[in-house]
């Protein structure tokens, strides 16, 4: 499998919400190994009131707020950073991404927007946008230049 395919698969896992009920288990902070907590503090020293989950693959997900933004960070069992999602205000999302959403999803309301990064290529940003039109819910993953990578309906 190519590095690009691994990168896309990782984002699809994040995109589809690996932390959904049934795939993860909430765990108390005292059950999180020290190397995982240290890795979180090294990368996000401002993280407080962290809620932890562990998925079926043994990865640890930390959820916390920095200011008003919700953050989700995933580490493997060795404490290696796998990726993160950072909630962002719609206006903070790059113009190319906003334009693509507004043109291609007319009538949808923006429910949530996040920047998504992966350890495979940490300097590359993707954006996950949650949309809703009446009862129709959708998530769209876009590259920083506004190209649609993946769409899924809830």
């Amino acid at each position: 499998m190519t590095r690009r395919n691994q990168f896309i698969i990782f984002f699809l896992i994040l995109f589809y919400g690996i932390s959904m009920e049934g795939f993860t288990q909430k765990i108390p902070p005292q059950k999180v190994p020290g190397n995982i907590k240290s890795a979180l503090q090294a990368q996000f020293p401002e993280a407080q009131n962290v809620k932890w989950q562990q998925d079926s693959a043994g990865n640890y997900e930390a959820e916390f707020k920095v200011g008003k933004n919700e953050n989700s960070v995933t580490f493997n069992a060795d404490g290696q950073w796998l990726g993160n999602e950072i909630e962002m205000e719609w206006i903070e999302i790059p113009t190319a991404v906003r334009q693509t959403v507004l043109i291609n999803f007319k009538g949808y309301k923006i429910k949530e927007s996040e920047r998504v990064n992966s350890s495979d290529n940490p300097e590359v940003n993707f954006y996950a946008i949650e949309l809703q039109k009446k009862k129709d819910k959708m998530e769209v993953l876009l590259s920083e230049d506004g190209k649609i990578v993946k769409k899924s309906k809830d």
Side-chain angles (χ1 to χ4, degrees):
M1 183 180 313
T2 68
R3 189 159 173 83
R4 183 178 191 281
N5 287 345
Q6 290 173 335
F7 187 63
I8 289 171
I9 288 170
F10 173 79
F11 278 116
L12 292 177
I13 290 169
L14 280 177
F15 184 65
Y16 283 114
I18 196 167
S19 64
M20 293 171 45
E21 289 284 326
F23 292 104
T24 64
Q25 178 180 349
K26 292 181 182 179
I27 56 174
Q30 61 270 23
K31 296 273 186 178
V32 178
N35 66 322
I36 306 297
K37 290 180 184 176
S38 295
L40 175 65
Q41 287 303 307
Q43 189 167 356
F44 294 92
E46 68 279 9
Q48 296 180 16
N49 301 319
V50 179
K51 294 178 183 170
W52 290 96
Q53 298 181 39
Q54 186 174 25
D55 67 23
S56 58
N59 298 321
Y60 292 86
E61 180 179 357
E63 295 179 346
F64 56 93
K65 279 190 170 186
V66 175
K68 60 182 178 171
N69 294 336
E70 292 183 22
N71 292 261
S72 173
V73 183
T74 304
F75 297 95
N76 68 15
D78 294 328
Q80 292 179 305
W81 173 74
L82 298 177
N84 63 287
E85 300 173 349
I86 299 173
E87 185 180 78
M88 299 177 72
E89 294 293 326
W90 177 245
I91 195 69
E92 297 174 304
I93 300 295
T95 302
V97 173
R98 292 194 325 254
Q99 287 176 341
T100 298
V101 171
L102 294 174
I103 290 168
N104 291 283
F105 302 98
K106 290 180 180 167
Y108 281 85
K109 182 178 179 180
I110 288 59
K111 300 297 285 181
E112 186 175 84
S113 48
E114 300 175 320
R115 185 182 75 218
V116 182
N117 298 90
S118 164
S119 61
D120 289 335
N121 203 347
E123 55 281 339
V124 175
N125 295 321
F126 282 84
Y127 295 88
I129 311 297
E130 185 179 317
L131 305 164
Q132 184 173 353
K133 183 197 284 186
K134 297 183 182 181
K135 292 184 179 183
D136 187 22
K137 294 181 181 179
M138 179 182 299
E139 288 186 326
V140 183
L141 184 68
L142 302 102
S143 59
E144 196 160 25
D145 61 1
K147 291 190 173 101
I148 297 172
V149 176
K150 183 73 177 171
K151 292 189 290 189
S152 69
K153 290 195 175 205
D154 286 350

